[in-house]
């Protein structure tokens, strides 16, 4: 069976990665999100196993030792990581998988998964980014400043990504990501084995699924 596509959606805190991913998942049933593990405490309304796997620092560090993460990073004082076997299973079953992760994590994934699609989500402006982080209401003035300063540094890594999408309107950003998925699925290096294997003509569903 054809392997699924790995879609890495990344960008600074407040750019709107989470909102975009939610909208994408609502719109398309061919995409699956990988549930990350974290040591941060759940926010109001967050459910263990749905939003994150909420772990203690000890359990997380045990999993690091056992090489259970595709990538992990320390983000604003807490660990976040992508469970390796979950992602591998989904990809091997032909599912397209979204990772919604920070920039450090995305760069680590890129070292191992070159055929992933790396999309950088940009805010429309730095002022808007600041306002979005304030509006979340979950940050202290110190953590707000930390996230805001990091965003300035993080934007320098955009050249490591394949695509940049400005999140000025969520629906438009989602449309752009869908266009990227379509484009990527037409790339010859993704489908050439299928084409060369096909002896009885090309059946398009088989090519692009
Ligand atoms: P939050 O605490 O706001 O849910 O997430 C903080 C940051 O951690 C966000 O930028 C989010 O994308 C990132 N993040 C969430 N899960 C992971 C993960 O598994 N790995 C990495 N590297 N970052 C993650």
């Amino acid at each position: 069976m054809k392997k699924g596509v790995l879609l890495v959606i990344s960008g600074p805190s407040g750019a709107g990665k989470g909102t975009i991913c939610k909208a994408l998942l609502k719109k398309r049933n061919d995409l699956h999100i990988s549930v990350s593990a974290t040591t941060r405490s759940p926010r109001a309304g967050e459910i263990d196993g749905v939003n994150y796997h909420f772990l203690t620092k000890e359990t997380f560090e045990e999993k690091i030792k056992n090489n259970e993460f595709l990538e992990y990073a320390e983000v604003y004082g807490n660990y976040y990581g992508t469970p390796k076997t979950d992602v591998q299973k989904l990809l091997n079953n032909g599912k397209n998988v979204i990772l919604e992760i920070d920039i450090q994590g995305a760069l680590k994934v890129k070292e191992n998964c070159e055929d992933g699609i790396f999309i950088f989500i940009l805010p429309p402006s730095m002022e808007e980014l600041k306002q979005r982080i304030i509006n979340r209401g979950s940050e202290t003035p110190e953590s707000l400043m930390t996230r805001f300063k990091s965003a300035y540094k993080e934007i320098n890594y955009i050249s490591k990504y394949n695509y940049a999408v400005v999140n000025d309107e969520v629906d438009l950003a989602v449309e752009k990501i869908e266009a990227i998925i379509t484009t990527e699925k037409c790339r010859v290096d993704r489908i050439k084995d299928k084409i060369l294997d096909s002896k009885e003509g090309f059946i398009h569903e088989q090519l692009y699924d």
Side-chain angles (χ1 to χ4, degrees):
M1 184 189 272
K2 196 169 165 7
K3 255 188 102 189
V5 169
L6 183 68
L7 202 65
V8 180
I9 298 199
S10 182
S13 178
K17 309 182 286 283
T19 313
I20 289 177
C21 288
K22 261 191 220 125
L24 256 174
L25 291 167
K26 205 168 160 197
K27 201 167 169 193
R28 295 180 59 130
N29 57 15
D30 61 333
L31 302 176
H32 299 260
I33 195 140
S34 150
V35 179
S36 295
T38 184
T39 57
R40 88 148 159 73
S41 313
R43 292 183 189 136
E46 285 185 332
I47 300 168
D48 187 32
V50 175
N51 303 91
Y52 283 104
H53 299 291
F54 294 101
L55 306 180
T56 62
K57 195 169 178 224
E58 292 68 34
T59 308
F60 199 104
E61 287 177 343
E62 193 59 33
K63 287 180 183 289
I64 296 174
K65 258 197 236 146
N66 295 336
N67 198 23
E68 290 182 38
F69 294 114
L70 180 62
E71 62 74 35
Y72 72 91
E74 208 175 326
V75 188
Y76 311 119
N78 285 302
Y79 283 127
Y80 293 81
T82 305
K84 198 189 283 180
T85 45
D86 291 1
V87 173
Q88 279 169 347
K89 259 191 223 156
L90 285 166
L91 289 174
N92 290 338
N93 285 330
K95 312 281 188 208
N96 302 315
V97 180
I98 300 181
L99 304 186
E100 188 240 293
I101 60 178
D102 89 316
I103 288 151
Q104 308 170 66
L107 297 180
K108 280 187 216 154
V109 175
K110 197 157 185 239
E111 287 169 15
N112 302 315
C113 310
E114 280 182 356
D115 62 347
I117 307 168
F118 293 81
I119 304 177
F120 197 102
I121 306 296
L122 281 164
S125 68
M126 293 312 278
E127 190 45 45
E128 173 67 22
L129 181 88
K130 194 174 184 180
Q131 209 48 54
R132 287 181 187 174
I133 303 175
I134 293 171
N135 290 349
R136 270 187 196 167
S138 56
E139 307 309 322
T140 61
E142 295 76 37
S143 77
L144 168 69
M145 275 322 286
T146 312
R147 285 181 185 234
F148 193 56
K149 279 187 198 157
S150 299
Y152 265 99
K153 288 192 209 137
E154 287 171 341
I155 286 175
N156 290 316
Y157 289 100
I158 199 162
S159 57
K160 307 270 185 201
Y161 287 70
N162 306 116
Y163 298 95
V165 171
V166 178
N167 180 22
D168 38 12
E169 269 186 55
V170 175
D171 290 351
L172 285 180
V174 166
E175 272 177 27
K176 285 177 189 161
I177 295 174
E178 290 191 284
I180 293 169
I181 297 170
T182 305
T183 305
E184 286 283 333
K185 286 191 167 188
C186 294
R187 269 177 43 181
V188 171
D189 55 351
R190 284 194 192 280
I191 56 176
K192 72 171 183 300
D193 292 344
K194 203 92 185 176
I195 296 170
L196 298 175
D197 280 353
S198 171
K199 302 213 168 42
E200 297 177 13
F202 308 143
I203 302 167
H204 105 272
E205 285 82 4
Q206 281 184 356
L207 281 185
Y208 298 127
D209 274 357

